[in-house]
Amino acid sequence: MAPARPDRGRATDAPPHAWRLLLGQVRYQVRILVRSPIASFATLVIPLMVLLAVNLLYDGTRLPTRGGIRFAQFFTPAMVAFAVVNACYMSIVSSTVLAREDGILRRIRSTPLPRWVYMAGRIIAAGLVSLASTTVVILLGAELYGFQMIWTSVPVLLADVTVAIFCFCALGFAVSVLVPRADSALPICWGTILPLCFISDVFQPIDTAPRWLRLIASSFPLRPFADDLEAAFNPVATRHGLSLVHLGVMTVWGIGAALFAVAAFRWQPSSTDTMPARLRHHMSRALAALPHRRHPGPRRLPVPAGAGRRGGRDRPLPPPVLVASDPESTELIEGPAPAEDSSLPGNPVP
């Protein structure tokens, strides 16, 4: 008898390919970012609000330190850098900490999904949102404020944005390790980004700032990124290509942050018990070794002789007063206290 041929339409148990898992993870993370009100507001709305407000204040202003270009020609690329930072750094920190404290990362870790697929999906999703936010900022700046688009600098823009996406996503994962709770994620994000924005040619030029301040800002990845974007779209600048020094600064920060995140990343939520496990074990053993004292029940106080008789007639005794034998416990009193009963000695009867 010939062996039965396998059914060709039957689904196999083989795991899906990695690229299919990665595609599904990217689609899932993009959906989360778009549906989250806080993430959408911080990624798309805040850069546009700052672009509109600041360009209205400095409309018609020219920058003599940048070759006399209009303020919109400087500020629009700066808002591109700000949008990328919001989409990568801030969203990664807040969403990662929230997923960890809610136990989502712990459940994902117990699934067959590879960890690198989850991390790569988060980074690619943040990159797609960054590109969308960059496009909206450039179109709005060109439409409302006359931003001059230099099409030959588009490859420079894409290269800088790609390196910046990797750098700030890695920094987001690294900082999420240091954030203790979900309610402190956004304050830590704004507290670390806003000071850098003010000293990194994002909100305003710092050409007249002290040299030591400019050197400190150049050692962080935000100013090299903003300077590259501004130089690429500066019509009077002599350099429109990539700066290897600026790319090196962003790459070093990204690699260092990625190594720290891989080594110290936490999938478990933070424990509210701050006592070390060894100390808690020794304390439980010491408490178990203590002798247990059995507390007796309440005892009945003696009633003075003759307290129930008056004038040869029997009177009902007052309710008993019950007092716990443990001096640390609260007295249990039933009925009136002795000093308040007129039938007890020491209280004259009117």
Side-chain angles (χ1 to χ4, degrees), residues 17 21-22 29 35 71 75 92 120-121 124 173 176 178 188-189 209 231 242 265 271 290 292-293 324 346-347:
H17 295 287
L21 292 175
L22 182 59
Q29 294 297 334
R35 292 181 178 179
F71 190 82
F75 197 65
I92 288 291
I124 295 175
F173 283 119
S176 67
L178 307 176
I188 290 177
C189 290
L242 293 173
F265 190 78
S271 177
L290 292 177
H292 295 282
R293 184 180 61 178
N347 292 330

Side-chain angles (χ1 to χ4, degrees), residues 83-135:
V84 172
V85 171
N86 282 342
C88 296
Y89 176 75
M90 298 189 63
S91 65
I92 288 291
V93 172
S94 58
S95 60
T96 302
V97 174
L98 183 61
R100 184 187 66 206
E101 297 305 316
D102 288 345
I104 298 175
L105 293 184
R106 179 175 57 187
R107 293 193 292 269
I108 289 178
R109 189 182 181 184
S110 62
T111 62
L113 180 70
R115 301 179 187 178
W116 71 267
V117 171
Y118 178 77
M119 296 298 182
R122 297 288 299 271
I123 294 175
I124 295 175
L128 294 177
V129 175
S130 300
L131 293 177
S133 181
T134 297
T135 304

Side-chain angles (χ1 to χ4, degrees), residues 162-253:
T162 301
V163 178
I165 287 172
F166 163 73
C167 174
F168 289 107
C169 284
L171 285 172
F173 283 119
V175 172
S176 67
V177 178
L178 307 176
V179 178
R181 296 183 304 274
D183 55 355
S184 58
L186 286 180
I188 290 177
C189 290
W190 288 114
T192 53
I193 284 299
L194 285 182
L196 287 180
C197 290
F198 281 103
I199 66 173
S200 300
D201 281 343
V202 174
F203 291 154
Q204 59 184 359
I206 61 168
D207 299 327
T208 58
R211 186 172 180 273
W212 61 268
L213 184 61
R214 286 179 289 168
L215 290 177
I216 292 177
S218 300
S219 62
F220 289 96
L222 184 55
R223 188 186 178 186
F225 180 42
D227 285 347
D228 277 350
L229 294 180
E230 189 269 329
F233 293 97
N234 190 342
V236 299
T238 57
R239 179 182 64 88
H240 294 284
L242 293 173
S243 174
L244 296 181
V245 177
H246 292 171
L247 291 180
V249 172
M250 290 189 290
T251 304
V252 169
W253 273 93

Side-chain angles (χ1 to χ4, degrees), residues 306-315 343 349:
R309 291 180 172 273
R310 183 187 175 194
R313 292 180 301 174
D314 293 334
R315 294 187 58 190
S343 62
V349 179

Side-chain angles (χ1 to χ4, degrees), residues 9-23:
R10 184 178 301 173
T12 60
D13 295 335
H17 295 287
W19 66 269
R20 294 180 58 187
L21 292 175
L22 182 59
L23 183 62

